Amino acid sequence: MSLSSPVVASPVASSADLIARYDANAPRYTSYPTAAQFTPAVGAGQWGDWLARAPLDQAVSLYLHIPFCKRLCWYCGCNTRAMNRESVIASYVDLLLREADLVLARIGRPVRVGSIHLGGGTPNMLAPADLERLFAGLAARFDLGDCFEIAAELDPEVLTPEWVEAAGRIGLTRASLGVQDLSPDVQAAVNRPERFETIRWAAEALRAQGLVSLNLDLMYGLPRQTAENVVTTLGLVTTLRPERIALFGYAHVPWMKPHQKLIKDDELPDAPLRFLQSQAAARYLTGKGWTAIGLDHFALPHDGLAAAQRSGRLHRNFQGYTTDQAPVLIGLGVSSISRTPDGYVQNLSLEREWRAAVSAGHLPAARGVALSPEDVFVGAIIERLMCDFAVDVAEVAARHDRPVESVAGAWTLLERFAEDGLIEIEGQRLTVTALGRPFVRAVCAAFDPAAAAVADRHARVV
């Protein structure tokens, strides 16, 4: 049910008041259910069954996790480790291809691939020869004829001319360069020295090899960071005209990532300062011609991400906002996450355990969650809110053959959001206002019955 009549918003509260009321811990909703709800009840056996009946009428997406970095950045929340031994990295490539064989054996049919994403870690820790060997192995196992995108997350400080040339040969189409912040003081506080000249060289070299879309990853909320730092960094990187910019809020979760304890708590900006940084960045980027995409992405109007938003085809997955509509995602490598219409599954997170399982011929699935019809319904509501800042709950319910009454409790939780002008409700249609957009994760959490139970596993909304 919806609110029976429009809620009259109270006089607009200050940003400090809104932060005090709504800056709770909440998921980033790159999936629903979230990874915090995965359990060992879903393992290798169920993953094998799901693969056997996975729908393959559309091309699948591949995600390959490369868990190696040259250095360990103290802010990092990814599954990675510092590693410079080429033999260890080369053997990891062998096992990625071995895992692909195990997956294909369970599927038992030819598999067409529409996109490939290399994440990490730092995929350009692979030697150029290993990168080409990996893609030759994938081409021998999968049908890559429909592959429209090959993307990689790259560390500019590790990128070499030889790697860029190899990337051109495998057909890399999109790259994300890690920038975060260009202030030397902020970089020192997170153990990530990086020069703008290095980033500029990387962007120009990749484009010369045929790259068609460049994304830059930036962060706010880092230690010693100010709004001035953020805008100064943007002033430099926007001269490169990246098609996309991702601006993530730093998630300080030292209880989950012990290396984050190296960051001094008293050097972190508080919630109002984080809010100021994110809003200053958004104003700067939209003023320079980038379109705001969802919560934390920006794209030039001609980019596919902006086009997808305009047409209502924007999606969200573990890589953030995306145009990828594939119903099946196959993750290879340590800690990688896969999805079929049956549910989500995540590989073993400890590299030695993943290596042992794959070497023994076992699927390395460790945990996951089966999707119920209600999960799919709620997930569709949350995805539209995260992507469009609006959702017609009745339309989603009809499309998924679910009773709207099953999410009736959300409307009660959202009454105060409406009273504060963060959302507008008309019948079964909910729209997040411009004032409420920074708090959209909290709006989504109202539809998520597990949000409160797993709140301590997630970062703050602001």
Side-chain angles (χ1 to χ4, degrees), residues 150-401:
I150 298 175
E153 301 167 12
L154 307 176
D155 181 350
E157 289 287 333
V158 182
L159 201 61
T160 65
E162 294 77 17
W163 203 94
V164 172
E165 291 170 4
R169 289 191 290 271
I170 67 164
L172 188 73
T173 59
R174 184 167 63 84
S176 292
L177 299 180
V179 177
Q180 321 316 340
D181 190 284
L182 292 174
S183 163
D185 193 37
V186 175
Q187 291 178 351
V190 295
N191 192 41
R192 189 185 174 92
E194 189 165 53
R195 299 178 305 123
F196 173 64
E197 290 74 17
T198 302
I199 297 163
R200 179 168 55 193
W201 172 84
E204 292 173 351
L206 288 164
R207 280 182 165 147
Q209 287 294 329
L211 195 77
V212 297
S213 181
L214 175 68
N215 175 77
L216 300 181
D217 285 339
L218 281 76
M219 297 187 81
Y220 66 89
L222 292 170
R224 306 180 193 172
Q225 197 175 34
T226 65
E228 290 77 13
N229 295 146
V230 175
V231 172
T232 298
T233 294
L234 287 172
L236 287 169
V237 301
T238 52
T239 63
L240 304 175
R241 301 298 293 174
E243 282 74 19
R244 303 178 187 180
I245 292 176
L247 180 72
F248 300 117
Y250 166 59
H252 192 56
V253 288
W255 58 91
M256 293 178 62
K257 297 294 179 179
H259 57 266
Q260 291 188 352
K261 295 176 182 177
L262 296 167
I263 290 176
K264 298 178 181 178
D265 288 353
D266 60 2
E267 293 184 340
L268 289 168
D270 61 17
L273 290 176
R274 286 171 59 97
F275 185 81
L276 180 64
Q277 291 171 16
S278 67
Q279 297 306 294
R283 285 193 300 271
Y284 184 91
L285 287 169
T286 54
K288 293 291 185 179
W290 277 263
T291 299
I293 305 292
L295 180 64
D296 47 23
H297 283 49
F298 299 83
L300 290 175
H302 69 267
D303 184 76
L305 211 58
Q309 183 187 60
R310 289 192 296 269
S311 63
R313 295 180 294 103
L314 188 65
H315 292 279
R316 190 161 171 82
N317 64 18
F318 293 99
Q319 280 73 58
Y321 290 103
T322 179
T323 60
D324 188 0
Q325 301 183 59
V328 175
L329 167 68
I330 296 174
L332 304 174
V334 61
S335 79
S336 64
I337 296 176
S338 302
R339 184 190 190 279
T340 78
D342 284 307
Y344 293 97
V345 65
Q346 183 172 30
N347 278 352
L348 290 159
S349 294
L350 292 178
E351 186 186 333
R352 65 176 180 275
E353 293 182 356
W354 175 85
R355 285 177 178 265
V358 175
S359 297
H362 304 308
L363 287 173
R367 63 193 193 114
V369 61
L371 288 172
S372 68
E374 188 70 11
D375 291 333
V376 176
F377 170 41
V378 172
I381 293 172
I382 289 174
E383 184 176 45
R384 294 305 2 122
L385 283 171
M386 292 295 297
C387 293
D388 303 335
F389 294 113
V391 65
D392 185 330
V393 175
E395 183 277 327
V396 176
R399 183 155 36 91
H400 291 275
D401 194 25

Side-chain angles (χ1 to χ4, degrees), residues 46-119:
Q46 195 150 18
W47 177 222
D49 292 341
W50 290 354
L51 286 169
R53 61 174 179 259
L56 299 179
D57 52 320
Q58 296 182 47
V60 310
S61 294
L62 291 182
Y63 172 78
L64 291 84
H65 190 78
I66 312 298
F68 309 114
C69 290
K70 181 179 180 180
R71 57 197 171 175
L72 183 61
C73 304
W74 296 344
Y75 62 80
C76 185
C78 301
N79 187 314
T80 188
R81 63 183 176 121
M83 169 56 63
N84 290 291
R85 291 172 55 193
E86 291 186 3
S87 61
V88 172
I89 299 173
S91 67
Y92 185 83
V93 171
D94 294 334
L95 289 173
L96 282 175
L97 295 173
R98 174 62 177 140
E99 184 183 357
D101 289 334
L102 296 174
V103 166
L104 289 169
R106 299 311 192 279
I107 293 175
R109 292 163 286 160
V111 177
R112 295 181 298 118
V113 172
S115 67
I116 301 173
H117 189 105
L118 300 180

